[in-house]
């Protein structure tokens, strides 16, 4: 038996924790900045919100998945950066 996995690079999907405080919606706008590329923000939207809260670093978080526009392929799996949620504080 073989397993097939198909990944997309545009959009690319990022998963990140958000402090558990509600006010998240699928379709909500997000911005992502790479730590080593100042001034460049990749735009996207929340695609999925975990239905369960989880402990992380002494606080309770919700895991969120966002689809980010990546037309030039600059975002790659494994990169880190900072996420900004439209209408709310940064996670």
């Amino acid at each position: 038996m073989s397993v097939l996995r198909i990944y997309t690079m545009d959009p690319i999907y990022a998963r990140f924790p958000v402090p558990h405080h509600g006010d998240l919606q699928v379709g909500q706008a997000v911005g992502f900045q790479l730590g080593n590329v100042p001034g460049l923000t990749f735009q996207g939207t929340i695609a999925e919100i975990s239905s369960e809260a989880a402990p992380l670093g002494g606080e309770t978080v919700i895991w969120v998945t966002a689809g980010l526009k990546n037309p030039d392929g600059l975002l790659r799996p494994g990169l880190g950066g900072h996420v900004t949620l439209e209408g709310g504080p940064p996670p």
Side-chain angles (χ1 to χ4, degrees), residues 6-80:
I6 298 175
Y7 295 97
T8 64
M9 294 298 290
D10 185 26
I12 192 166
Y13 291 89
R15 188 168 183 249
F16 52 92
V18 175
H20 183 230
H21 57 69
D23 295 345
L24 296 174
Q25 296 180 15
V26 170
Q28 183 175 348
V30 299
F32 179 78
Q33 294 181 327
L34 292 172
N36 60 350
V37 185
L40 181 60
T41 300
F42 297 87
Q43 300 299 319
T45 58
I46 292 177
E48 182 180 352
I49 302 168
S50 173
S51 61
E52 297 182 16
L56 179 68
E59 63 181 327
T60 302
V61 299
I62 297 292
W63 284 94
V64 174
T65 302
L68 301 165
K69 296 175 186 172
N70 188 29
D72 298 323
L74 296 174
L75 294 175
R76 300 273 184 208
L79 293 177

